Amino acid sequence: MGVFRLTQPAKEERLLPEVAARLTAHRAGCPPYRRILDATGHGPDRDYRSLDALPWLPVRMFKTHALKSIPDEAVFKTLTSSGTTGEPSRIFLDQHAAAAQSRMLSRTMQTVLGPHRLPMLLVDTRAILADRRTFSARGAGVLGMMGFGRDHAWALDADGVPDHTTIEAFIRKNGGQPFLIFGFTFMVWQHLYELARDHGWDLGNGILVHSGGWKKLQDLAVSPAEFRERFTRDTGLTRIHNFYGMVEQIGTVFLEGPDGGGLYCPDFADVIIRDPRTWAVLPPGEPGLIELISTLPTSYPGNVLLTEDLGVIHGVDDGAWPGKRFEVIGRLPRAEARGCSDVYAVPAQGRAAR
């Protein structure tokens, strides 16, 4: 199972000292972060007995502050988030951090893809890589996934229209062996599922990795369960893996298990669900704000982040893989930054559409 091996107790025992040590290093290397910790009661001598006691940063802090724990001359790469409004997040990596995130992303994906690069169908247009307005978002996601495949074929032409000839030729050439399909969720549904269904294409040997875009599917009343069921029924595709991640914890991916029972945390990461009103930790079954924990960030203080996404934990050590399994169920309808801690508007209902 690659990086999905540790039970929840074993994971927490391993993560707590490692993440606490990361925070200590960031305190020393990032003066703005040190001031945030001191202002929120997290002094240098504080002892942490559990993961949920660790100090979190609102993810939007990376939109308003240049937070890095390395000197300017050590910055090897600066990543930006995909926000369509306001300022993007800025994430600073040195060479060590960039190599580590790439290595751990590869290990995570190898859990479902295996060790060898597979023929790859990209449900997107090659033009996305040339459009600098969107490259940091969709283009970066496509480019990052391309490294897991070979003999790449683009399902859409330069105008974003499905290229029937290219798709059919790819399936005819590669359909008898394992092959990789990647795309953003709504595009995969609109531009691949419907065509494959209507043309009778056999995708039975495919492995689909997809992410994002659930809002448009919800508008069409297509749930994640129906997404999987109809792909399997109409195209033969059974190996389907959604994933969740963000540039603020680059390299950390929460991956859907083989049975579609939820997203799982890799051994170097964890998830906590908090009440948006009280910040209390919520038990499985109760939706709230998603807090993400990862050991990966070493060049910037992004190890413990409070997101603006809503989620719910469905179970612990009871699924296809060990650890927590959870679902992302939407975003808060409004998020307002106030000082070094965010105050969030809480939706009237526990669940919200993306």
Side-chain angles (χ1 to χ4, degrees):
M1 293 183 293
V3 296
F4 298 92
R5 299 170 300 177
L6 296 179
T7 63
Q8 191 60 31
K11 175 181 293 186
E12 293 180 8
E13 183 178 4
R14 174 181 291 186
L15 289 185
L16 180 58
E18 188 169 348
V19 176
R22 291 274 192 270
L23 301 188
T24 297
H26 293 312
R27 163 183 278 278
C30 182
Y33 180 64
R34 180 172 65 249
R35 291 193 291 270
I36 291 171
L37 292 180
D38 290 341
T40 54
H42 293 274
D45 298 325
R46 184 157 173 173
D47 185 27
Y48 299 104
R49 302 299 179 89
S50 62
L51 287 177
D52 58 40
L54 295 169
W56 43 259
L57 277 182
V59 72
R60 65 169 49 222
M61 291 288 291
F62 293 94
K63 299 179 183 295
T64 58
H65 295 71
L67 298 174
K68 59 181 181 294
S69 306
I70 54 176
D72 291 344
E73 60 269 21
V75 175
F76 170 70
K77 183 184 298 185
T78 302
L79 305 177
T80 58
S81 64
S82 59
T84 56
T85 61
E87 292 295 321
S89 293
R90 292 165 294 164
I91 302 302
F92 303 95
L93 303 177
D94 58 13
Q95 288 186 312
H96 170 78
Q101 64 89 5
S102 178
R103 181 173 63 253
M104 297 314 292
L105 176 61
S106 179
R107 288 187 58 190
T108 301
M109 288 300 177
Q110 284 178 2
T111 302
V112 296
L113 300 180
H116 305 296
R117 293 196 299 165
L118 302 175
M120 186 174 189
L121 178 66
L122 294 132
V123 187
D124 216 313
T125 170
R126 187 190 301 272
I128 191 66
L129 300 183
D131 187 347
R132 304 307 300 183
R133 295 169 300 174
T134 57
F135 181 78
S136 65
R138 194 168 116 209
V142 169
L143 189 63
M145 285 299 299
M146 287 182 68
F148 298 106
R150 59 178 174 84
D151 302 331
H152 304 92
W154 298 87
L156 310 183
D157 65 19
D159 296 318
V161 176
D163 185 340
H164 297 204
T165 301
T166 295
I167 299 172
E168 195 158 26
F170 177 89
I171 294 171
R172 186 166 55 249
K173 178 181 178 181
N174 301 293
Q177 60 183 323
F179 61 92
L180 171 60
I181 306 168
F182 172 74
F184 293 91
T185 304
F186 179 71
M187 297 177 68
V188 169
W189 180 262
Q190 185 178 48
H191 298 310
L192 182 63
Y193 164 72
E194 294 177 358
L195 279 178
R197 177 198 61 197
D198 295 344
H199 287 77
W201 292 337
D202 182 3
L203 305 180
N205 283 322
I207 304 171
L208 170 61
V209 176
H210 68 103
S211 183
W214 282 112
K215 175 62 170 65
K216 291 183 179 180
L217 285 186
Q218 288 174 339
D219 292 343
L220 296 175
V222 179
S223 67
E226 185 176 2
F227 180 92
R228 296 178 65 93
E229 190 276 330
R230 287 173 65 175
F231 252 111
T232 298
R233 182 191 67 200
D234 296 333
T235 74
L237 184 65
T238 60
R239 287 173 288 181
I240 301 172
H241 299 274
N242 185 23
F243 72 89
Y244 172 67
M246 58 185 57
V247 71
E248 292 86 357
Q249 280 190 353
I250 188 72
T252 304
V253 168
F254 300 84
L255 193 61
E256 187 178 32
D259 60 355
L263 298 163
Y264 289 83
C265 308
D267 293 342
F268 52 89
D270 203 8
V271 64
I272 291 171
I273 305 297
R274 292 191 181 273
D275 186 316
R277 295 180 178 89
T278 67
W279 311 125
V281 177
L282 295 173
E286 293 193 24
L289 278 176
I290 296 175
E291 175 186 319
L292 301 178
I293 300 173
S294 173
T295 64
L296 281 190
T298 56
S299 57
Y300 65 99
N303 301 94
V304 187
L305 299 179
L306 190 71
T307 76
E308 295 172 0
D309 293 325
L310 292 166
V312 61
I313 294 173
H314 290 308
V316 182
D317 290 332
D318 66 346
W321 297 336
K324 295 175 183 173
R325 55 186 182 86
F326 70 102
E327 179 185 1
V328 181
I329 58 176
R331 284 182 66 84
L332 290 175
R334 179 171 60 88
E336 182 178 353
R338 297 182 181 173
C340 64
S341 178
D342 281 6
V343 178
Y344 295 90
V346 181
Q349 302 297 321
R351 299 171 74 93
R354 295 204 76 158

